[in-house]
């Protein structure tokens, strides 16, 4: 056969002497094969690659190019082998893909959540220079840190330290009602701020001049969403807004961009700080901490030196009793995740502990999925042994075989990765609803997420493929070809060890879930020292506030209403910080306490128990400067003052300038979440009672709400009727724990399902390997139950070992978590037995399903080949 012209021309170009005939023969042989004269024929692609592989013989400059082409051809070859293996073993491939898909979906979903949590407040320009100032104060024999500071902190810092580039005070405005034309609109995120607020929180201005607006009293800065809600437009600068119970209107001075969703400080309406009563913004002193303070400092500012200098000024102004008072500078990007120890932190808060916990759970689930791949691949090693042996005989190196099996793992992982992205897209809405976050698959395109997802992909592929690749590539061809190789059995202990690890992780998660659920049930059911059932909490102002006693009388006339009282705030979380001292002399050292103003009906309405003394005889507003105040202390406050309950009655005390007498002692009751112990509390007969507590008759709650609303509408024309159940307010204190409980439950179920999926694959392979043994045993008289027990035994023993290993680890870890609560459950032994029983039951069902099929198969089919 004559070679084609292009081949002859190729031989004329730079061919080394003595090589022409050999190369021409190789090319002709390959060409004939391609033409189908010696075989079935090969693809154009293969012929092209083989032809190009000969180019280095013509000229040295083609050497690198040829090696690259060879690698491409080899990679293509390995992919085709991987695809054929998937087609040949569909069942095992599906188990691997489903397990890796579930693991990757869980891992990437948690990675999205963790990245979102870590990104809080980092979208603000120059956020590294912004700090919130926290206030360390003495409390109950020690100290505590609160997020609120005195009025003096921000202006004093700006005057004293050149490192302070900007500072702002933030005062929470509470519940505000605006009237826009004839419509009443409640504004829940309403704050008074200084004019430098937007120098710190740098948000885009859509219209107007926010700096100028925040310098004028009764001037508003609206966010884009608030402007749309008020006026259906952002072009609203100069428009007037009427605030209910205010004599003068407010004017819109600017519209700004909404704060990012991943910001700890969510607001929609900002008001000039100078709109407050003059005493609230001009009286600079250390005695009342009601303001959040944010500072923007110069890069490299010495925070420790600033703190020490400020501490010295506090002692200079307040005396030696202020030695324990200090300011702490918390980076704004730490507020969301690192504020668990800080009191009065009402903004969106997470917990770095839960971030670490979920990251660990994601890693463990991914590891379980990888173990499935390792176990199933090594278990099928005998089926690949001859392939490996033949490849080694014809010259394949161990490294080449290692790369081949790694590429197979990468191929399976890539398919699983794409399917995991699809799963994430489907479950994201439900996950967002559960976590109350705004995650999206588009976040995967961000730089850190791309690197994170790539790292996850590479780790999964490497962990899944490295051990099987190393194990398979080390087969000795002489053992394989002689038939003396037993690879699957030799790795039995390794596979059982990995099964033990899988189920140890699953049992750990089950135990954790059960303990979290039990602790939450304890928190929800524990007696708080008062009765929170069937109690409505109503914020009041305006017409009702001016006629509070008459309105209370009108409510008590309703048959569905049992009792009504007034107080400063809802008792589920009392936040008023005060100082009480013995005697009426100013300047004496006092005890830091929580305090709240109440009327005479509060104690019976909340069903508190008077330990000694009397309740307030009737409601009256005491006057400052006169020793006519009355106080009720809880048992903890009496103990901290160094009295007995009987000794406390009639004692002269002063509460932040309010001089009076101790009237009674009430039982300890919880005034915040059960993360904290009950502290000293003082109740006093003061003004500014902005909250009504209405106790409804059991069984008549719906009718009672309707009756209260009807009475409200008759008395209040300007404000809409709104209420909260006291027990709902209390439950919201544990939202984070409830979310973690639900997430833990979901991922615990997922972990054990992935583990059982791998177990199903292993038992399927094992029963297939023992088909003839099962057939012989059946012929010899073994029953189905005996065969099922025989097959199950080898797989249930590792589960029992996993229970023994995971129990002490789970006990230690959950004790550490429970230490976050001052009031907690004891860990019962039945939890560990229940978790083990759940895992054993699921494992037994999984293994028995396949074992029963094998045990009931016709033995003739199993023995026919013999």
């Amino acid at each position: 056969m004559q070679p084609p012209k292009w081949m002859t021309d190729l031989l004329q170009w730079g061919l080394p002497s003595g090589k022409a005939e050999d190369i021409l023969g190789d090319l002709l042989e390959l060409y004939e094969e391609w033409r189908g004269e010696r075989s079935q024929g090969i693809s154009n692609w293969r012929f092209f690659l083989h032809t190009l592989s000969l180019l280095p013989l013509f000229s040295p400059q083609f050497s690198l190019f040829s090696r690259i082409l060879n690698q491409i051809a080899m990679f293509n070859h390995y992919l085709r082998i991987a695809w054929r293996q998937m087609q040949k073993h569909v069942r095992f491939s599906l188990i691997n893909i489903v397990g890796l898909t579930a693991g990757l979906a869980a891992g990437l979903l948690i990675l999205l959540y963790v990245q979102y949590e870590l990104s809080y407040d980092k979208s603000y320009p120059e956020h590294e220079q912004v700090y919130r100032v926290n206030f360390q104060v003495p409390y109950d024999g020690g100290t505590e840190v609160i997020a609120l500071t005195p009025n003096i902190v921000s202006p004093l810092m700006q005057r004293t330290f050149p490192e302070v580039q900007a500072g702002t005070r933030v005062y929470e405005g509470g519940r505000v009602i605006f009237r826009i034309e004839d419509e009443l609109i409640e504004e829940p995120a309403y704050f008074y701020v200084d004019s430098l607020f937007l120098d710190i929180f740098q948000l885009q201005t859509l219209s107007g001049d926010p700096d100028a607006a925040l310098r004028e009293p009764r001037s508003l800065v609206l966010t884009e969403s608030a402007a749309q809600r008020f006026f259906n437009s952002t072009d609203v600068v100069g428009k007037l807004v009427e605030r209910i119970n205010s004599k003068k209107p407010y004017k819109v001075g600017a519209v700004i961009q909404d704060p990012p969703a991943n910001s700890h400080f969510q607001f929609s309406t900002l008001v000039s700080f100078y709109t407050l009563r003059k005493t609230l913004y001009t009286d600079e002193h250390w005695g009342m901490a009601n303001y959040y303070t944010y500072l923007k400092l110069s890069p490299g500012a010495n925070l420790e030196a600033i703190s020490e200098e400020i501490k010295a000024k506090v002692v200079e102004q307040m005396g030696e009793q202020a030695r324990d008072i200090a300011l702490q500078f918390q980076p704004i990007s730490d507020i969301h995740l690192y504020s668990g120890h800080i009191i009065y932190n009402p903004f969106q808060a997470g917990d770095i502990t839960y971030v670490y916990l979920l990251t660990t759970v994601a890693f463990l689930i991914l590891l379980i999925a990888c173990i499935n791949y390792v176990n199933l691949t090594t278990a099928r090693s005998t089926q690949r042994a001859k392939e490996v042996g033949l490849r080694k005989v014809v010259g394949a190196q161990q490294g080449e075989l290692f790369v081949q099996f790694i590429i197979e793992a990468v191929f399976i992982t890539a398919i699983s990765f794409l399917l995991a992205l699809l799963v994430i897209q489907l479950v994201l809405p439900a996950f967002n609803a559960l976590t109350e976050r705004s995650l999206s698959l588009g976040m995967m395109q961000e730089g850190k997420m791309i690197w994170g997802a790539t790292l996850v992909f590479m780790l999964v592929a490497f962990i899944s493929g490295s051990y099987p690749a190393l194990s398979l590539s080390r087969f000795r061809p002489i053992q394989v070809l002689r038939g003396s190789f037993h690879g699957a059995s030799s790795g039995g202990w390794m596979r059982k060890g990995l099964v033990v690890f899988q189920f140890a992780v699953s049992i750990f998660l089950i135990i954790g879930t059960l303990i979290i659920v039990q602790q939450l049930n304890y928190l929800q059911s524990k007696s708080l020292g008062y009765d929170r059932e069937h109690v409505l909490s109503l914020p009041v102002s305006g017409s009702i506030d001016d006629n509070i006693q008459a309105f209370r009388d009108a409510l008590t006339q309703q048959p569905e209403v049992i009792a009504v009282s007034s107080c400063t705030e809802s008792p589920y979380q009392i936040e008023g910080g005060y100082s009480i001292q013995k005697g009426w002399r100013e300047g004496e050292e006092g005890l830091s306490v929580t305090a709240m103003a109440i009327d005479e009906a509060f104690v019976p309405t909340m069903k508190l128990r008077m330990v000694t003394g009397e309740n307030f005889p009737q409601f009256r507003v005491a006057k400052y400067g006169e020793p006519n105040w009355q106080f009720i202390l809880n048992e903890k406050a009496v103990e901290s003052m160094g009295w007995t309950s009987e000794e406390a009655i009639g004692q002269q005390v002063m509460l932040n300038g309010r001089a009076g007498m101790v009237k009674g002692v009430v039982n300890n009751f919880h005034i915040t979440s059960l993360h904290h112990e009950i502290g000293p509390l003082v109740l006093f007969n003061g003004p500014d009672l902005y909250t009504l507590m209405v106790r409804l008759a059991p069984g008549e709650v719906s009718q009672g709400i309707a009756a209260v609303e009807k009475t409200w509408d008759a008395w209040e024309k300007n404000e809409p009727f709104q209420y909260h159940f006291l027990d709902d307010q209390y439950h919201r204190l544990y939202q984070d724990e409830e979310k973690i409980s639900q997430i833990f439950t979901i991922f615990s179920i997922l972990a054990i399902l992935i583990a059982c999926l791998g177990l199903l694959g292993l038992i399927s392979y094992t029963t297939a390997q023992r088909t003839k043994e099962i057939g012989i045993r059946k012929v010899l008289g073994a029953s189905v139950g005996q065969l099922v027990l025989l097959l199950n035994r080898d797989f249930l023993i590792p589960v029992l070992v996993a229970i023994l290993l995971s129990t002490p680890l789970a006990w230690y870890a959950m004790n550490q978590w429970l230490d976050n609560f001052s009031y907690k459950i004891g860990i019962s032994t039945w939890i560990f037995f229940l978790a083990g029983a759940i895992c054993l039951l699921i494992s037994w069902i999984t293994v028995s399903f396949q074992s029963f099929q094998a045990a009931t198969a016709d033995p003739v089919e199993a023995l026919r080949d013999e």
Side-chain angles (χ1 to χ4, degrees):
M1 178 182 175
Q2 294 297 322
K5 185 176 184 303
W6 65 267
M7 193 178 293
T8 306
D9 295 340
L10 189 63
L11 291 173
Q12 302 300 321
W13 181 48
L15 185 67
S17 60
K19 298 289 185 180
E21 293 182 1
D22 293 338
I23 295 175
L24 182 60
D26 289 342
L27 289 175
L28 282 174
E29 183 178 353
L30 189 62
Y31 185 64
E32 289 174 8
E33 187 178 353
W34 179 58
R35 292 285 301 271
E37 296 180 15
R38 295 183 54 185
S39 66
Q40 297 294 325
I42 59 176
S43 67
N44 294 352
W45 172 246
R46 183 180 168 197
F47 174 69
F48 174 71
L49 290 177
H50 273 267
T51 302
L52 290 180
S53 69
L54 298 174
L55 289 180
L57 298 174
F58 297 93
S59 181
Q61 66 254 31
F62 289 108
S63 178
L64 177 61
F65 181 62
S66 175
R67 285 200 299 270
I68 294 173
L69 291 174
N70 277 331
Q71 293 300 321
I72 294 174
M74 189 64 69
F75 183 77
N76 177 60
H77 178 63
Y78 290 157
L79 287 179
R80 292 170 65 186
I81 292 176
W83 178 249
R84 288 171 183 168
Q85 286 293 326
M86 283 183 58
Q87 291 178 313
K88 185 177 180 180
H89 305 285
V90 175
R91 184 175 186 179
F92 291 103
S93 298
L94 283 177
I95 289 175
N96 277 331
I97 290 173
V98 170
L100 285 175
T101 298
L104 282 166
L108 292 174
L109 197 59
I110 292 177
L111 182 63
L112 279 174
Y113 177 81
V114 168
Q115 172 60 25
Y116 188 85
E117 292 294 285
L118 295 176
S119 69
Y120 262 74
D121 295 303
K122 293 182 179 178
S123 58
Y124 290 117
E126 301 175 325
H127 70 271
E128 302 91 346
Q129 300 171 231
V130 179
Y131 297 83
R132 184 178 69 183
V133 183
N134 298 321
F135 199 37
Q136 177 185 297
V137 294
Y139 182 76
D140 193 24
T143 61
E144 68 178 10
V145 179
I146 62 177
L148 296 167
T149 62
N151 187 12
I152 190 175
V153 172
S154 177
L156 178 63
M157 295 288 291
Q158 292 180 75
R159 289 194 301 264
T160 307
F161 300 100
E163 298 95 329
V164 179
Q165 296 180 354
T168 184
R169 294 161 292 186
V170 176
Y171 185 80
E172 194 169 3
R175 180 172 176 261
V176 176
I177 305 295
F178 287 115
R179 188 194 302 276
I180 311 295
E181 296 180 351
D182 294 328
E183 182 181 3
L184 296 178
I185 300 177
E186 181 179 7
E187 180 47 69
Y190 177 89
F191 296 91
Y192 298 90
V193 298
D194 282 310
S195 59
L196 295 179
F197 179 87
L198 291 174
D199 286 2
I200 297 173
F201 298 92
Q202 299 180 35
L203 296 170
Q204 180 184 355
T205 301
L206 304 181
S207 60
D209 184 354
D211 293 335
L214 292 174
R215 293 191 184 97
E216 298 295 329
R218 293 186 180 82
S219 182
L220 299 177
V221 173
L222 301 179
T223 61
E224 182 178 7
S225 59
Q228 291 288 350
R229 184 155 42 90
F230 286 7
F231 302 103
N232 295 319
S233 171
T234 58
D235 186 18
V236 295
V237 174
K239 291 193 175 183
L240 299 180
V241 179
E242 179 187 353
R243 177 182 168 183
I244 300 301
N245 303 319
S246 177
K247 297 178 180 179
K248 296 182 179 180
Y250 287 59
K251 185 173 72 172
V252 179
V255 178
I256 61 174
Q257 180 186 23
D258 286 343
N262 56 345
S263 171
H264 80 282
F265 184 16
Q266 295 295 316
F267 58 88
S268 54
T269 302
L270 302 176
V271 191
S272 167
F273 202 78
Y274 304 106
T275 310
L276 290 167
R277 295 196 308 269
K278 188 175 182 180
T279 54
L280 290 177
Y281 68 83
T282 58
D283 292 351
E284 296 182 6
H285 55 78
W286 294 95
M288 188 178 297
N290 291 322
Y291 307 86
Y292 301 99
T293 299
Y294 293 89
L295 301 176
K296 181 180 178 182
L297 305 181
S298 302
N302 190 333
L303 298 179
E304 185 175 349
I306 294 174
S307 298
E308 289 299 320
E309 189 170 341
I310 282 291
K311 188 172 183 179
K313 287 184 176 296
V314 174
V315 173
E316 178 184 336
Q317 295 182 23
M318 298 182 63
E320 288 299 316
Q321 69 268 21
R323 281 290 177 189
D324 291 330
I325 293 178
L327 298 181
Q328 296 181 359
F329 298 91
Q330 184 178 24
I332 189 176
S333 56
D334 286 354
I335 293 175
H336 178 66
L337 292 177
Y338 296 92
S339 297
H341 66 292
I342 298 175
I343 311 299
Y344 311 145
N345 184 57
F347 304 128
Q348 286 194 29
D351 193 330
I352 191 62
T353 302
Y354 295 141
V355 170
Y356 291 146
L357 187 62
L358 288 176
T359 303
T360 303
V361 168
F363 175 76
L364 292 175
I365 290 177
L366 281 171
L367 201 54
I368 290 174
C370 294
I371 288 172
N372 280 354
Y373 184 92
V374 171
N375 274 344
L376 292 179
T377 304
T378 54
R380 292 191 298 112
S381 60
T382 51
Q383 297 180 351
R384 308 286 305 265
K386 289 185 178 180
E387 173 195 342
V388 174
L390 288 172
R391 286 180 178 275
K392 283 197 170 185
V393 167
V394 298
Q397 300 298 314
Q398 181 176 337
E400 294 173 345
L401 293 170
F402 181 86
V403 171
Q404 174 189 333
F405 292 121
I406 283 289
I407 288 176
E408 289 184 17
V410 171
F411 183 63
I412 295 290
T413 306
I415 294 174
S416 303
F417 190 88
L418 294 175
L419 291 174
L421 294 179
L422 177 61
V423 171
I424 291 173
Q425 184 64 36
L426 294 175
V427 303
L428 257 181
F431 190 76
N432 282 336
L434 174 62
T435 60
E436 297 182 356
R437 297 292 184 264
S438 302
L439 309 180
S440 68
L441 204 57
M443 293 171 58
M444 297 287 292
Q445 300 175 10
E446 297 176 5
K448 290 183 179 179
M449 281 301 304
I450 291 175
W451 284 108
T454 303
L455 181 62
V456 168
F457 175 84
M458 293 175 64
L459 283 175
V460 170
F462 179 77
I463 294 173
S464 301
S466 58
Y467 178 75
L470 185 64
S471 175
L472 294 173
S473 64
R474 293 174 64 182
F475 290 167
R476 295 183 179 180
I478 190 168
Q479 290 182 337
V480 173
L481 299 178
R482 280 179 178 176
S484 60
F485 174 76
H486 302 288
S489 59
S490 65
W493 285 107
M494 176 68 176
R495 287 191 295 278
K496 288 179 181 178
L498 293 177
V499 169
V500 168
F501 178 82
Q502 283 182 307
F503 280 93
V505 171
S506 301
I507 295 166
F508 179 93
L509 294 176
I510 292 172
I511 292 172
T513 299
L514 292 174
I515 291 175
I516 291 173
V517 170
Q518 193 180 20
Q519 173 67 8
L520 281 177
N521 290 337
Y522 170 77
L523 296 177
Q524 305 293 3
S525 60
K526 185 182 184 301
S527 173
L528 301 179
Y530 62 90
D531 186 357
R532 67 176 188 267
E533 299 295 326
H534 312 117
V535 177
L536 299 183
S537 172
L538 278 70
V540 296
S541 60
S543 301
I544 292 178
D545 190 33
D546 296 335
N547 302 277
I548 188 68
Q549 188 61 49
F551 181 71
R552 284 178 47 199
D553 293 340
L555 284 178
T556 54
Q557 292 174 8
Q558 304 297 328
E560 299 88 357
V561 176
I562 295 178
V564 183
S565 72
S566 305
C567 54
T568 304
E569 54 195 321
S570 184
Y572 81 100
Q573 190 168 24
I574 303 174
E575 297 183 340
Y578 292 77
S579 176
I580 189 171
Q581 65 186 51
K582 296 179 181 179
W584 294 346
R585 290 180 57 188
E586 293 281 0
E588 295 291 332
E589 185 174 355
L591 171 72
S592 294
V593 297
T594 302
M596 179 175 71
I598 62 171
D599 64 10
E600 81 285 356
F602 183 82
V603 171
T605 299
M606 302 311 302
K607 297 187 178 180
L608 299 176
R609 178 176 56 87
M610 294 299 302
V611 176
T612 187
E614 300 176 351
N615 185 22
F616 299 147
Q618 61 183 5
F619 178 70
R620 61 188 180 85
V621 177
K623 295 182 180 180
Y624 284 97
E626 297 181 8
N628 58 354
W629 293 79
Q630 296 179 353
F631 304 100
I632 296 176
L633 279 61
N634 72 345
E635 295 170 288
K636 179 64 176 177
V638 171
E639 177 188 343
S640 299
M641 296 289 284
W643 300 320
T644 65
S645 296
E646 290 74 17
E647 291 172 345
I649 305 304
Q651 293 283 351
Q652 295 179 350
V653 294
M654 184 178 291
L655 181 76
N656 282 47
R658 302 169 179 86
M661 310 285 288
V662 177
K663 187 73 175 177
V665 177
V666 74
N667 65 293
N668 287 332
F669 64 95
H670 290 277
I671 58 175
T672 184
S673 78
L674 271 68
H675 287 88
H676 309 287
E677 293 185 2
I678 295 176
L681 173 72
V682 177
L683 305 174
F684 60 95
N685 59 332
D688 301 328
L689 307 181
Y690 299 125
T691 303
L692 277 182
M693 310 306 297
V694 181
R695 179 172 295 280
L696 304 178
E700 300 182 11
V701 174
S702 298
Q703 301 93 316
I705 294 173
V708 173
E709 183 176 10
K710 183 178 179 180
T711 307
W712 177 282
D713 291 340
W715 281 77
E716 180 60 72
K717 304 299 182 182
N718 292 325
E719 296 193 23
F721 173 68
Q722 290 190 341
Y723 67 91
H724 301 283
F725 279 105
L726 183 57
D727 54 355
D728 288 342
Q729 290 179 317
Y730 176 75
H731 291 163
R732 280 198 291 272
L733 294 174
Y734 308 103
Q735 283 182 333
D736 286 343
E737 285 78 13
E738 289 178 358
K739 292 174 191 173
I740 290 298
S741 173
Q742 293 171 341
I743 293 173
F744 234 75
T745 301
I746 292 170
F747 286 120
S748 297
I749 294 171
L750 182 62
I752 198 167
L753 288 178
I754 295 174
C756 287
L757 195 63
L759 198 61
L760 178 63
L762 281 177
I763 188 63
S764 300
Y765 181 78
T766 302
T767 53
Q769 293 292 94
R770 302 176 69 177
T771 300
K772 292 183 175 61
E773 176 192 346
I774 294 170
I776 293 171
R777 287 180 181 275
K778 288 193 71 174
V779 169
L780 294 177
S783 66
V784 172
Q786 289 173 325
L787 291 172
V788 170
L789 185 61
L790 173 69
L791 294 171
N792 284 12
R793 183 180 59 194
D794 290 342
F795 288 94
L796 294 182
I797 290 176
V799 178
L800 290 171
V801 174
I803 293 173
L804 294 176
L805 291 177
S806 61
T807 296
L809 293 175
W811 178 86
Y812 174 79
M814 296 316 297
N815 263 313
Q816 295 295 112
W817 178 76
L818 287 171
D819 285 342
N820 292 317
F821 298 88
S822 296
Y823 303 89
K824 57 190 176 184
I825 61 170
I827 299 180
S828 305
T829 54
W830 67 263
I831 292 177
F832 302 101
F833 285 110
L834 178 60
I838 291 172
C839 210
L840 274 174
L841 179 62
I842 296 175
S843 305
W844 178 269
I845 293 172
T846 302
V847 176
S848 297
F849 173 76
Q850 187 65 34
S851 301
F852 183 78
Q853 286 185 326
T856 56
D858 188 352
V860 175
E861 296 293 331
L863 300 175
R864 177 176 296 171
D865 290 342
E866 295 294 327

